[in-house]
Amino acid sequence: MSAYIAPSQIAERQLAYFSGKHVLVAGEAEDLFPIELAKHCESVTVFTTHYGYFRQLQAYSNITAVFGAEFDHDTNADMVLLYWPKAKAEADYLLAMLMAKLGKDTEIVVVGENRSGVKSIEKMFKPYGIINKFDSARRCSFYWGQCTQEAKPFNLQEWFKTYSVNYQEHTLTIKSLPGVFSHGEFDIGSKLLLDTLPTLQGKVLDFGCGAGVIGSVMATLNPSIELEMCDISALAIESSKATLAANNLQGKVFASDVYSDCADNYQFIISNPPFHSGLDTSYSATETLLKDAPKQLNSSGELLIVANSFLQYPPIIELAFGKCETLNKTNKFAIYTAKN
């Protein structure tokens, strides 16, 4: 059984394409194939918007790892290895950014699972140059192409989608980059959570902040709180920062791999926790969020989360806190709380 995800396995079959190249890896990469790739080409830089992946890669000195919403480092990369992301709009965003940065004559390899819609690259790459499929295996496709056109300059601001959220007679402006949860709509689970929240005070963490809807509503309704917002995605971090700024709200927004960069004295941890990783469902981050919450809260602190009703979170919360209360429930969502 290979230690690599299927898109990496198909790239591994085609190492000759990377020989002599300075490769910039981007997109939904999530394994250590870039470390192996560095043995077969001139250099490897990994640009990732995923903070957990970035932290994992920092242990390896034979590659350069870059975390952010925009790749703005000096680079001698002459080839991109793009792992097709689950959101098509994110692929479009990454292509526009990387082709503008690296320019004409840049080669590109795109790998992805067929079910993720990787075939869209054929049409999406047309403004930049030619791309063709050269291999398929393990339900994945391998494309190779080259940028033959001058790409237009990349401006991050042009990629924000702006929409309004109305809540309790307040209208908030939400700014969201491609691939960010709640991209362009007010999530029903988040609304139920906000409807159920008590009056907040002290230091409040919006965990998995996405586009910043929950944090912004909390700060609007409770102006005296000390708001912190964290997410594992650089695209979410930039979206939340832009949302706070658009509404003249204050808050500290930062990247965190579960609680890696969080404080340990919150009065409230509030979350609509994510349970997707790539195309597959993953609950591990949320389980850690629940299990370790007592350590991040102050002595009278409280956790409040919204979750799909079918998810078995109460036993995990009970194990961590000794109790779990259901504050609100619909046929789809439940609001759980526990106090230190």
Side-chain angles (χ1 to χ4, degrees):
M1 184 74 181
S2 172
Y4 299 140
I5 56 172
S8 293
Q9 290 176 42
I10 199 173
E12 192 179 22
R13 283 163 51 118
Q14 301 291 349
L15 286 171
Y17 279 88
F18 304 101
S19 178
K21 296 290 174 190
H22 294 277
V23 182
L24 174 61
V25 179
E28 203 94 6
E30 53 188 69
D31 60 19
L32 295 178
F33 177 66
I35 314 302
E36 173 64 26
L37 183 61
K39 299 172 191 167
H40 303 273
C41 61
E42 291 302 305
S43 71
V44 171
T45 300
V46 179
F47 167 65
T48 179
T49 59
H50 190 285
Y51 190 57
Y53 188 52
F54 169 71
R55 289 179 76 221
Q56 192 184 354
L57 294 179
Q58 282 184 302
Y60 298 89
S61 56
N62 62 336
I63 63 160
T64 303
V66 177
F67 169 76
E70 185 174 359
F71 182 71
D72 53 7
H73 284 235
D74 288 336
T75 181
N76 56 356
D78 51 14
M79 176 181 256
V80 171
L81 168 56
L82 178 67
Y83 284 75
W84 190 256
K86 61 179 179 284
K88 191 173 160 187
E90 193 177 333
D92 201 11
Y93 170 89
L94 288 169
L95 279 178
M97 179 204 308
L98 297 173
M99 293 304 113
K101 174 78 179 167
L102 303 185
K104 239 169 124 173
D105 300 326
T106 303
E107 290 181 50
I108 184 167
V109 165
V110 180
V111 290
E113 293 186 45
N114 297 332
R115 65 178 176 145
S116 72
V118 65
K119 193 177 190 294
S120 303
I121 189 63
E122 295 171 11
K123 195 172 174 190
M124 201 182 278
F125 199 70
K126 279 192 170 140
Y128 308 105
I130 47 146
I131 197 157
N132 289 295
K133 186 161 147 178
F134 282 91
D135 194 9
S136 55
R138 294 176 178 82
R139 301 196 184 96
C140 287
S141 297
F142 177 103
Y143 287 85
W144 177 89
Q146 191 162 25
C147 181
T148 56
Q149 307 296 319
E150 206 64 60
K152 71 176 196 144
F154 181 80
N155 177 359
L156 184 74
Q157 296 308 314
E158 291 171 5
W159 289 84
F160 280 101
K161 184 169 180 177
T162 303
Y163 62 102
S164 293
V165 158
N166 298 308
Y167 190 78
Q168 289 189 9
E169 295 171 22
H170 297 278
T171 299
L172 291 168
T173 301
I174 310 301
K175 309 276 279 187
S176 179
L177 287 170
V180 175
F181 178 71
S182 190
H183 186 45
E185 59 193 349
F186 194 2
D187 173 69
I188 334 163
S190 297
K191 185 175 183 307
L192 185 71
L193 177 62
L194 290 165
D195 287 345
T196 313
L197 289 182
T199 302
L200 303 173
Q201 76 279 333
K203 196 170 187 172
V204 179
L205 176 67
D206 173 7
F207 179 95
C209 56
V213 178
I214 293 174
S216 297
V217 170
M218 292 191 305
T220 302
L221 299 180
N222 308 271
S224 68
I225 61 170
E226 186 187 337
L227 177 66
E228 293 199 358
M229 302 163 74
C230 73
D231 204 287
I232 204 154
S233 158
L235 300 172
I237 300 303
E238 289 309 312
S239 299
S240 278
K241 283 179 178 172
T243 295
L244 287 179
N247 297 288
N248 297 314
L249 295 167
Q250 299 302 310
K252 176 187 172 188
V253 189
F254 58 96
S256 191
D257 182 4
V258 192
Y259 292 123
S260 67
D261 291 55
C262 293
D264 59 3
N265 61 343
Y266 296 105
Q267 184 59 42
F268 291 94
I269 294 175
I270 290 164
S271 183
N272 181 348
F275 62 94
H276 285 284
S277 175
L279 286 167
D280 300 307
T281 303
S282 165
Y283 304 103
S284 60
T286 302
E287 287 175 7
T288 307
L289 155 75
L290 304 177
K291 191 163 53 70
D292 294 348
K295 293 186 275 193
Q296 311 299 139
L297 290 160
N298 64 26
S299 57
S300 62
E302 184 174 351
L303 168 77
L304 291 117
I305 69 155
V306 58
N308 283 63
S309 307
F310 66 83
L311 296 172
Q312 295 303 303
Y313 289 161
I316 304 168
I317 298 171
E318 276 165 20
L319 209 58
F321 287 89
K323 58 199 169 303
C324 173
E325 201 185 329
T326 304
L327 289 184
N328 206 340
K329 202 167 179 163
T330 65
N331 56 5
K332 194 168 178 201
F333 295 104
I335 310 295
Y336 302 118
T337 185
K339 292 178 184 167
N340 255 351

